[in-house]
Every structure is written in C-alpha cells, then in structure tokens.
Amino acid sequence: MDIGEVSTVVPEYLTDCWRWAADKEEMLKGCELKVNTIPAVTRCEDCGAEYGTVRYGRKCPHCGSEHTFLLQGNQVEIKEIEV
Ligand SMILES: [Zn+2]
C-alpha cells in the first residue's frame, strides 16, 4: 500500500484497523499490511524546481513563487495484494 506523506491517512492507525479487521476474518488471519510512505513532492510552475512539500510547504524555496502544485504524496493506493 502506498500512502502519501500529506494524505489524511495515518499509517499507524490504518495498520491497527487492518489488524483488527483481518483477525476477524478467517481468510485474512495473519495477513500483513505493508505500508509505504510516499514522500510529498511539490513542483514550482515558475522555475520548474521540485522540492519536498513537508519541508517547504506551498512556497518554492528556489524562486519564492507560490505557483506550485503537489506532484505526489497525497495518494492512498493499494499496490498489490499477495495471497
Ligand atoms: Zn520556483
């Protein structure tokens, strides 16, 4: 599972929920939930720089522009399910 750094999901909480839910189902007993944290990256539209969202927020550290958008880091994806 991929969870973005700035997504609203707290990985620890999700893992706890998974544990609780999986143990209730005979089929899922003992299944592990793997969580990857995806670093949040923001791109500046004015100078094209990419930088860490968590560190610098919406303002580009290279040129000071606020014309930036989140490239990645807010996703919650189920990557693969192993049986
Ligand atoms: Zn910039």
Side-chain angles (χ1 to χ4, degrees):
M1 220 171 154
D2 286 347
I3 295 184
E5 220 173 5
V6 293
S7 78
T8 49
V9 176
V10 180
E12 288 76 21
Y13 181 67
L14 187 82
T15 310
D16 282 354
C17 284
W18 167 262
R19 187 77 280 141
W20 179 83
D23 284 346
K24 281 193 358 176
E25 302 291 331
E26 202 55 49
M27 220 181 86
L28 292 174
K29 221 166 207 157
C31 273
E32 288 295 326
L33 178 70
K34 291 182 201 158
V35 177
N36 294 322
T37 305
I38 306 299
V41 176
T42 293
R43 166 172 272 175
C44 173
E45 282 189 66
D46 287 342
C47 73
E50 293 174 13
Y51 61 91
T53 309
V54 171
R55 187 151 173 215
Y56 297 107
R58 291 188 60 93
K59 199 169 177 182
C60 173
H62 302 279
C63 70
S65 167
E66 288 182 22
H67 298 134
T68 58
F69 61 94
L70 193 64
L71 269 186
Q72 62 166 51
N74 64 346
Q75 67 267 64
V76 177
E77 284 169 15
I78 295 179
K79 260 187 109 177
E80 55 184 310
I81 296 175
E82 290 169 26
V83 182

